[in-house]
Coordinates of all heavy atoms in Angstrom, one line a residue:
A114 N -7.1 -11.0 -69.0 CA -6.5 -12.3 -68.7 C -7.6 -13.3 -68.8 O -8.8 -13.0 -68.8 CB -5.9 -12.3 -67.4
N115 N -7.2 -14.6 -68.9 CA -8.2 -15.7 -68.9 C -7.9 -16.6 -67.7 O -6.8 -17.0 -67.4 CB -8.1 -16.5 -70.2 CG -9.1 -17.6 -70.2 OD1 -8.8 -18.7 -69.7 ND2 -10.3 -17.3 -70.7
V116 N -8.9 -16.8 -66.9 CA -8.8 -17.6 -65.7 C -9.6 -18.9 -65.9 O -10.7 -19.0 -66.4 CB -9.4 -16.9 -64.4 CG1 -9.4 -17.8 -63.2 CG2 -8.5 -15.7 -64.1
E117 N -9.0 -20.0 -65.3 CA -9.7 -21.3 -65.3 C -9.7 -21.7 -63.8 O -8.7 -21.8 -63.2 CB -8.9 -22.3 -66.1 CG -9.6 -23.7 -66.1 CD -8.9 -24.7 -67.0 OE1 -9.0 -24.5 -68.3 OE2 -8.3 -25.6 -66.5
A118 N -10.9 -22.0 -63.3 CA -11.1 -22.5 -61.9 C -11.7 -23.9 -62.0 O -12.5 -24.1 -62.8 CB -12.0 -21.5 -61.2
T119 N -11.1 -24.8 -61.2 CA -11.6 -26.2 -61.2 C -11.9 -26.6 -59.8 O -11.1 -26.3 -58.8 CB -10.4 -27.1 -61.8 OG1 -10.1 -26.6 -63.0 CG2 -10.9 -28.5 -61.9
L120 N -13.0 -27.3 -59.6 CA -13.5 -27.9 -58.4 C -13.2 -29.3 -58.5 O -13.8 -30.0 -59.3 CB -15.0 -27.6 -58.2 CG -15.6 -28.0 -56.8 CD1 -14.9 -27.3 -55.7 CD2 -17.1 -27.6 -56.9
M121 N -12.2 -29.8 -57.8 CA -11.7 -31.2 -58.0 C -11.6 -31.9 -56.6 O -11.1 -31.4 -55.6 CB -10.3 -31.2 -58.6 CG -9.8 -32.6 -58.9 SD -8.0 -32.6 -59.3 CE -7.3 -32.1 -57.7
E122 N -12.0 -33.2 -56.6 CA -12.0 -34.0 -55.5 C -10.8 -35.1 -55.6 O -10.6 -35.6 -56.7 CB -13.3 -34.8 -55.3 CG -13.3 -35.8 -54.2 CD -14.7 -36.5 -54.1 OE1 -15.7 -36.1 -54.7 OE2 -14.7 -37.5 -53.3
L123 N -10.1 -35.3 -54.5 CA -9.2 -36.4 -54.5 C -9.9 -37.6 -54.0 O -10.0 -37.8 -52.8 CB -8.0 -36.1 -53.6 CG -7.1 -34.9 -54.2 CD1 -6.0 -34.6 -53.2 CD2 -6.5 -35.3 -55.5
S124 N -10.5 -38.4 -54.9 CA -11.4 -39.5 -54.5 C -10.6 -40.7 -54.2 O -9.7 -41.1 -54.9 CB -12.4 -39.7 -55.7 OG -13.2 -40.8 -55.4
P125 N -11.0 -41.5 -53.2 CA -10.3 -42.7 -52.9 C -10.4 -43.7 -54.0 O -11.5 -44.0 -54.5 CB -11.1 -43.3 -51.6 CG -11.9 -42.1 -51.1 CD -12.1 -41.2 -52.3
G126 N -9.3 -44.2 -54.5 CA -9.3 -45.1 -55.6 C -8.9 -46.5 -55.2 O -8.7 -46.8 -54.0
A127 N -8.7 -47.4 -56.1 CA -8.3 -48.7 -55.8 C -6.9 -48.8 -55.2 O -6.0 -48.0 -55.6 CB -8.3 -49.6 -57.1
G128 N -6.8 -49.5 -54.1 CA -5.5 -49.6 -53.4 C -5.1 -48.4 -52.6 O -4.0 -48.2 -52.2
G129 N -6.1 -47.5 -52.4 CA -5.8 -46.3 -51.6 C -5.2 -45.2 -52.3 O -5.0 -44.1 -51.7
L130 N -4.9 -45.3 -53.6 CA -4.3 -44.2 -54.4 C -5.4 -43.2 -54.8 O -6.4 -43.6 -55.4 CB -3.7 -44.8 -55.7 CG -3.0 -43.8 -56.6 CD1 -1.8 -43.2 -55.9 CD2 -2.6 -44.4 -57.9
P131 N -5.3 -41.9 -54.3 CA -6.4 -41.0 -54.7 C -6.4 -40.7 -56.2 O -5.3 -40.5 -56.8 CB -6.0 -39.7 -53.8 CG -4.5 -39.9 -53.5 CD -4.2 -41.4 -53.6
L132 N -7.6 -40.6 -56.7 CA -7.8 -40.3 -58.1 C -8.6 -39.0 -58.2 O -9.5 -38.7 -57.4 CB -8.6 -41.4 -58.8 CG -7.9 -42.8 -58.8 CD1 -8.9 -43.8 -59.3 CD2 -6.6 -42.7 -59.6
P133 N -8.2 -38.1 -59.2 CA -8.9 -36.9 -59.4 C -10.4 -37.1 -59.9 O -10.6 -37.9 -60.8 CB -8.1 -36.1 -60.4 CG -7.4 -37.1 -61.2 CD -7.1 -38.3 -60.2
L134 N -11.3 -36.4 -59.3 CA -12.7 -36.5 -59.7 C -13.1 -35.0 -59.9 O -13.2 -34.3 -58.9 CB -13.6 -37.2 -58.7 CG -15.1 -37.2 -59.0 CD1 -15.4 -38.0 -60.2 CD2 -15.8 -37.8 -57.8
F135 N -13.4 -34.6 -61.1 CA -13.7 -33.2 -61.4 C -15.2 -33.0 -61.2 O -16.1 -33.6 -61.8 CB -13.3 -32.8 -62.8 CG -11.8 -32.9 -63.0 CD1 -11.2 -34.1 -63.5 CD2 -11.0 -31.9 -62.6 CE1 -9.8 -34.2 -63.6 CE2 -9.6 -32.0 -62.7 CZ -9.0 -33.1 -63.2
H136 N -15.5 -32.0 -60.3 CA -16.9 -31.7 -60.0 C -17.4 -30.6 -60.9 O -18.5 -30.6 -61.3 CB -17.1 -31.2 -58.5 CG -17.0 -32.3 -57.5 ND1 -18.1 -32.8 -56.8 CD2 -15.9 -33.1 -57.1 CE1 -17.7 -33.7 -56.0 NE2 -16.4 -34.0 -56.2
A137 N -16.5 -29.5 -61.2 CA -16.9 -28.4 -62.0 C -15.7 -27.7 -62.5 O -14.6 -27.7 -61.9 CB -17.8 -27.5 -61.2
M138 N -15.9 -27.0 -63.7 CA -14.8 -26.2 -64.2 C -15.4 -25.0 -64.9 O -16.4 -25.1 -65.5 CB -14.0 -27.0 -65.2 CG -12.7 -26.4 -65.7 SD -12.8 -25.2 -67.0 CE -13.2 -26.2 -68.4
R139 N -14.7 -23.9 -64.8 CA -15.2 -22.6 -65.4 C -14.0 -21.9 -66.0 O -12.9 -21.7 -65.3 CB -15.8 -21.7 -64.3 CG -16.2 -20.4 -64.8 CD -17.4 -20.3 -65.6 NE -17.7 -19.0 -66.0 CZ -18.8 -18.6 -66.6 NH1 -19.8 -19.5 -66.8 NH2 -19.0 -17.4 -66.9
Q140 N -14.1 -21.5 -67.2 CA -13.0 -20.7 -67.8 C -13.7 -19.3 -68.2 O -14.7 -19.3 -68.8 CB -12.5 -21.4 -69.1 CG -11.1 -20.9 -69.5 CD -10.5 -21.7 -70.6 OE1 -11.1 -21.9 -71.6 NE2 -9.4 -22.3 -70.3
Q141 N -13.0 -18.2 -67.8 CA -13.6 -16.9 -68.0 C -12.5 -15.9 -68.2 O -11.5 -15.9 -67.6 CB -14.4 -16.6 -66.8 CG -15.1 -15.3 -66.9 CD -16.0 -15.1 -65.7 OE1 -16.7 -16.0 -65.2 NE2 -16.0 -13.9 -65.1

Side-chain angles (χ1 to χ4, degrees):
N115 181 272
V116 171
E117 181 175 290
T119 305
L120 186 60
M121 182 195 68
E122 176 180 348
L123 295 174
S124 179
L130 182 66
L132 298 173
L134 174 63
F135 296 94
H136 286 251
M138 192 274 292
R139 171 81 181 189
Q140 199 170 59
Q141 182 174 319

